[in-house]
Amino acid sequence: MIVAYSIDTLRNPDTRTQAFAAMVRDTTPKLYTQIRRIVQYHDDADDVLQNTYMKAWQALDSFRGDCQISTWLYRIAMNEALSLLQRQRITDSLDAEDDANMRSLESDPYFDGDETELMLQQAIATLPEKQRIVFNLKYFDEMKYEDMSTMLETSVGALKASYHLAVKKIEEYFNAHD
């Protein structure tokens, strides 16, 4: 019997394991893509994804249900991704990290975009973390500011400002590399 996931099936001890497996199956592709846009390296994205699901499993009983399950998972994933970036930044300077990130996009076997896509990813890699996250959520996932506000626990106005600044910086990057 296949069990669909919902708050009720995830909390029910009889259906929890099957519902969680269904949730993982259904959310992994989109969640991985979003994590990957933040951490950029495949191995790091896999680690963050695994940590996200482990934390979600441990917190199932404390999930209040005041947002969608996907929003809750994204919030956990964003926190995990940002924690990873903070740990990495302790040993790397920001400029060296940006240069390495841009070079890694060119040689990454999981990146198969064309030249314009590569340039866009390089421009995104130069953005500060918050702007990069907001840009990715709005541009690639077409997420509403209200949903981002819930997930990132910040105001809609701050998110709009971050997105506007990110777009401006990406445009400047493209203009400088014509």
Side-chain angles (χ1 to χ4, degrees), residues 137-155:
L137 290 172
K138 185 69 176 162
Y139 182 80
F140 291 109
D141 291 342
E142 300 176 357
M143 188 177 285
K144 295 178 182 175
Y145 288 113
E146 292 76 17
D147 295 337
M148 274 191 266
S149 176
T150 300
M151 181 173 66
L152 299 174
E153 299 174 337
T154 189
S155 72

Side-chain angles (χ1 to χ4, degrees), residues 10-11 20 23-24 27 30-32 34-36 38-39 44-87 133 137 143 147-153:
L10 287 167
R11 287 190 176 150
F20 193 82
M23 180 187 72
V24 169
T27 60
K30 194 170 183 178
L31 195 58
Y32 170 84
Q34 189 56 47
I35 293 167
R36 179 69 188 278
I38 295 168
V39 300
D44 289 343
D46 276 348
D47 290 345
V48 169
L49 185 63
Q50 182 178 5
N51 290 344
T52 298
Y53 288 127
M54 287 186 341
K55 287 199 174 185
W57 176 261
Q58 294 167 349
L60 279 176
D61 291 329
S62 63
F63 176 57
R64 296 185 309 263
D66 56 350
C67 64
Q68 293 180 8
I69 294 169
S70 59
T71 302
W72 178 63
L73 285 173
Y74 273 112
R75 187 180 305 146
I76 294 170
M78 294 306 107
N79 288 336
E80 286 298 305
L82 293 174
S83 293
L84 174 71
L85 291 176
Q86 287 173 339
R87 288 190 304 271
I133 291 168
L137 290 172
M143 188 177 285
D147 295 337
M148 274 191 266
S149 176
T150 300
M151 181 173 66
L152 299 174
E153 299 174 337

Side-chain angles (χ1 to χ4, degrees), residues 83-142:
S83 293
L84 174 71
L85 291 176
Q86 287 173 339
R87 288 190 304 271
Q88 289 174 341
R89 195 169 290 122
I90 291 171
T91 57
D92 297 335
S93 74
L94 189 56
D95 290 337
E97 184 178 328
D98 287 345
D99 289 343
N101 286 343
M102 284 187 266
R103 282 193 307 276
S104 74
L105 286 170
E106 295 170 1
S107 63
D108 191 333
Y110 294 95
F111 180 82
D112 61 355
D114 61 19
E115 188 174 323
T116 304
E117 177 69 15
L118 175 61
M119 195 168 168
L120 175 61
Q121 293 301 327
Q122 289 172 332
I124 293 169
T126 67
L127 296 173
E129 278 176 21
K130 183 176 181 179
Q131 289 175 14
R132 185 170 59 229
I133 291 168
V134 171
F135 182 83
N136 284 329
L137 290 172
K138 185 69 176 162
Y139 182 80
F140 291 109
D141 291 342
E142 300 176 357

